[in-house]
Structure formats: C-alpha cells, structure tokens
Amino acid sequence: MTTFEQLVAGLAVLFGIVAAGSTVPVLPTGAAVSATAVVAAHRSPLALLAVVAVGAIGAYCGDAVTFAVCRAGGEALTRRLRMLRQPLRLTESIRERLHRRPVTALLVSRLVPGGRIPVLLTAAIVGLSWRAFIVSNVAACALWSATYAAIGLLGRSVFPQPWQGVVAAIVIVLVVTQAAGWVRSRREARLPSDVT
C-alpha cells in the first residue's frame, strides 16, 4: 500500500469514527481527530489540512443526522430519553441564543463534553430552521476539527516520535473531557432538585 493509499484509508476511518461518534456519542471523536492529525503532520501539511477537513465533514454529517432525529422526535423525544432535565425552561433560555448567534451556540456545544446533543435537541424544539443549522454548523464543525487537530499538534511538538504524540494527544483530550464532565456534574449537583 502506498503512502497516498494509507492516507486515504486513514481519512476514511477518521470520517467513519467522527460521523458515527457524532450521531451516537460513544466514540472519542476529538481524540480521533487529534491522533490522526499527529500522524498526518509527520507526512505533510496537506495531509494535516485533509485531516481537519475530513474531521469537520464527519462531524457535520453526524450532527445533521442527530438534528434530523431531534426534529422528527421533538420534545417527546427529550422526555423519553431524559436528555434535557428541564426542556421547556431550557428552551426558553436558549431560544434567543440559538436564533441570534447559532454559530456560537453550536460551536460551544461541540466543545463542551456532553453539550452537543442537548443543544441540538433544543435547536430542534425551538424550530431552528434547516437553513440556519446548515450554515451555522459548517463553522462550528470546522472550528471544532481545527481545535482538536491543534491539540494533536501540541502533542507532536513535544514528542519526537509520532506514536508518542498520538498518546499525548489522546491523554490531553481525555483529561480535558473528564475535567469538563466533572465541572458540569458538580454544577448540576448544585441546582435545586425540585425545579421543574
């Protein structure tokens, strides 16, 4: 297999992981982009740009599927899946942000672990149009992919061997994800349990 074929195969695997992980959030999509960026950076700058682009496209496709499911299921889906603790109240507080600054809302939801699906559900419930979603999510997914590629490059700059950079990138992503999850769970624990 040539280097080009290896690159194409690696990008195809990256697309599959990110698209699947953006639809069903069980795969470490950020770590996949970071690790692939480390390996690509050892090949060429164009390979690195391809990783950012494929990561963004995979995230975008997964988000589009999730948004479509949320629009089809609506608020009943949020209650059944218990994905939003206070759907109506959350909808009112986020509606303005989603309509005024959809790029910011979608970007922040992508970067905060566990934030993407609740924001996509809320966007579907408040009736964010497909047009607004399509345009806004392009920037959010591109910035998300570039951010995680940069995390991978940070690991690469510290370690001389590609495998060391991959391990460092995965560890950095996992530590940041766990820390953000811990902060979010502490914040939720402080909320009054009787609020409806």
Side-chain angles (χ1 to χ4, degrees):
M1 190 183 292
T2 67
T3 303
F4 179 74
E5 290 171 335
Q6 290 172 335
L7 176 63
V8 170
L11 292 174
V13 169
L14 175 64
F15 175 82
I17 289 172
V18 174
S22 294
T23 305
V24 181
V26 293
L27 298 174
T29 57
V33 172
S34 295
T36 308
V38 170
V39 175
H42 280 278
R43 301 268 189 232
S44 77
L46 290 177
L48 180 59
L49 288 175
V51 167
V52 172
V54 168
I57 292 166
Y60 188 85
C61 291
D63 283 359
V65 169
T66 303
F67 187 67
V69 168
C70 292
R71 283 184 64 104
E75 193 175 341
L77 179 66
T78 66
R79 281 195 300 264
R80 258 195 316 261
L81 298 179
R82 299 178 195 261
M83 296 181 97
L84 295 176
R85 187 176 288 182
Q86 303 164 3
L88 294 175
R89 185 169 176 191
L90 184 57
T91 296
E92 289 302 318
S93 68
I94 291 182
R95 175 177 287 162
E96 293 276 332
R97 281 185 242 160
L98 281 168
H99 286 294
R100 273 188 322 199
R101 296 187 186 127
V103 174
T104 304
L106 292 170
L107 176 62
V108 169
S109 75
R110 268 219 147 270
L111 294 176
V112 174
R116 186 179 58 82
I117 290 182
V119 170
L120 289 176
L121 282 166
T122 304
I125 290 169
V126 301
L128 185 70
S129 70
W130 268 104
R131 181 178 177 178
F133 171 78
I134 287 168
V135 171
S136 302
N137 207 41
V138 167
C141 289
L143 289 170
W144 170 84
S145 186
T147 299
Y148 276 97
I151 291 170
L153 293 179
L154 176 67
R156 175 186 179 256
S157 68
V158 174
F159 299 100
Q161 296 296 319
W163 71 267
Q164 294 168 329
V166 168
V167 170
I170 292 171
V171 168
I172 290 169
V173 168
L174 292 176
V175 166
V176 168
T177 301
Q178 289 301 316
W182 180 78
V183 168
R184 192 183 77 225
S185 66
R186 296 273 305 186
R187 187 176 297 154
E188 287 176 359
R190 289 185 197 154
L191 291 175
S193 59
D194 59 345
V195 175
T196 56

